[in-house]
Amino acid sequence: MNRALRVTAWIVAVLVLLAVVFLVYANTVMPGTRSAALQVWRDDRVSVRDAGDSIVMTPTGESDDKGIVFIPGAKVDPFAYMATFRQVVASGTTVVITKPTLNLAFFDTRPLSIFEAYAPGVRTWAVGGHSLGGVRACQLAKDADGLLLLGSYCADDISRSYIDVLSVSGSRDGLSTPAKVRAARHLLPSTATMVEVQGSNHAEFGAYGDQPGDRTATTSPAAARAEISAAVERWVQALPPGTDLR
C-alpha cells in the first residue's frame, strides 16, 4: 500500500511539474516592438481599443464596412500585429486581433461571432492569421467571407470552397518556407491570390523582432510591411461589400 501511494505521489508530482512547465512556456511570448505599437496608438487615423480578449482597431474616418478577425502566431504578442494592419485600418477596414487562449491558436475554440460583435456595423468579414494562427483561420474559413494567410498555409482542404483567399508569404521565411506554402497550395481554391514578398522573413509579418528558426530578411521591416499592407488592402477592397459568400 505504501509503495502504491509513493508511485501515485510521484506520478502526480510529475504531472504537476509538466503542467507548470507548459504554462510557463505558453505564457512566455515574443513581445511586440514597443516603438512600432506606439506609432499606431498615436495615429489619428486609427482608433485602438483593448477589449480584453482582443485588440479592436477601427478607422476614425470613413469605414468600408469590411473587417478582419486576425489570429496571432504561436506565442506572439497580439499587439505586435498592430503595425502590420495600421495602413489597412487607416484605409477604412476594421481589424480585430484576437488574444488566443494560452497564446496558442489551437487552444482557442471561440467562434468568430465573439469578435465580430465588437464591430456590428461591419457587413463583410474575413478571418486571417499568421503562422499557427493561419492554420486555425483555415478551420474557421467556412464561417467567413474571406481568408487571409500571412506566412502560413492550410492543413484543412478548402479547395472546393468559394471563399476569397489571399496568401502572403516571404521568400526568406524560415518557418512557413516557400516550399511548404507551395506544397499546401492544392488545399486552397484555384482562385486564391498568392503573393510572395521578396526578401521578407517569418517575423516581418509582425513587429516582434527575431524568431528562432527564421532566416535573415534582406528587406527592411518597413519595406516588407508596406508591401504586405498594400496586398491586403487590394484584396479587402475586392471583397464584395455586404455579400454573404458562406
Side-chain angles (χ1 to χ4, degrees):
M1 180 66 71
N2 289 336
R3 184 175 182 276
L5 288 174
R6 286 197 299 272
V7 171
T8 301
W10 273 108
I11 292 174
V12 171
V14 169
L15 291 176
V16 170
L17 178 60
L18 290 175
V20 171
V21 170
F22 174 76
L23 288 174
V24 171
Y25 164 82
N27 287 286
T28 304
V29 300
M30 287 173 277
T33 305
R34 181 178 174 83
S35 60
L38 285 175
Q39 288 177 18
V40 182
W41 283 101
R42 294 168 178 165
D43 192 330
D44 59 9
R45 303 172 301 167
V46 178
S47 173
V48 180
R49 177 166 64 96
D50 187 343
D53 61 357
S54 57
I55 303 160
V56 183
M57 302 175 64
T58 54
T60 57
E62 185 176 354
S63 170
D64 58 14
D65 296 328
K66 297 175 181 178
I68 302 171
V69 174
F70 190 80
I71 306 169
K75 298 177 60 183
V76 179
D77 186 342
F79 288 94
Y81 297 99
M82 287 170 53
T84 306
F85 290 104
R86 176 184 182 183
Q87 185 56 47
V88 174
V89 176
S91 297
T93 301
T94 295
V95 175
V96 180
I97 305 170
T98 71
K99 296 181 180 180
T101 305
L102 293 176
N103 299 302
L104 296 167
F106 279 163
F107 289 105
D108 198 337
T109 60
R110 292 170 294 181
L112 293 180
S113 58
I114 295 292
F115 306 103
E116 293 172 349
Y118 289 118
V122 171
R123 300 171 62 192
T124 301
W125 280 100
V127 62
H130 172 227
S131 195
L132 183 64
V135 178
R136 175 59 179 153
C138 293
Q139 298 174 339
L140 297 169
K142 65 182 183 300
D143 298 321
D145 301 304
L147 172 64
L148 171 64
L149 300 174
L150 298 186
S152 187
Y153 48 88
C154 284
D156 294 58
D157 188 347
I158 62 168
S159 60
R160 296 186 179 181
S161 170
Y162 292 102
I163 194 169
D164 284 284
V165 179
L166 171 64
S167 171
V168 185
S169 58
S171 68
R172 298 281 298 174
D173 194 323
L175 299 174
S176 297
T177 64
K180 290 179 180 178
V181 172
R182 288 194 298 269
R185 173 64 180 86
H186 70 285
L187 298 175
L188 300 178
S190 60
T191 55
T193 301
M194 310 296 290
V195 175
E196 184 176 88
V197 180
Q198 294 302 310
S200 184
N201 65 5
H202 198 72
E204 285 190 329
F205 287 103
Y208 58 92
D210 297 331
Q211 183 165 354
D214 205 2
R215 299 178 69 191
T216 302
T218 57
T219 186
S220 69
R225 193 172 299 135
E227 192 168 344
I228 294 165
S229 296
V232 175
E233 282 185 71
R234 289 193 300 268
W235 174 73
V236 168
Q237 294 310 311
L239 290 175
T243 299
D244 191 351
L245 302 177
R246 304 171 194 177

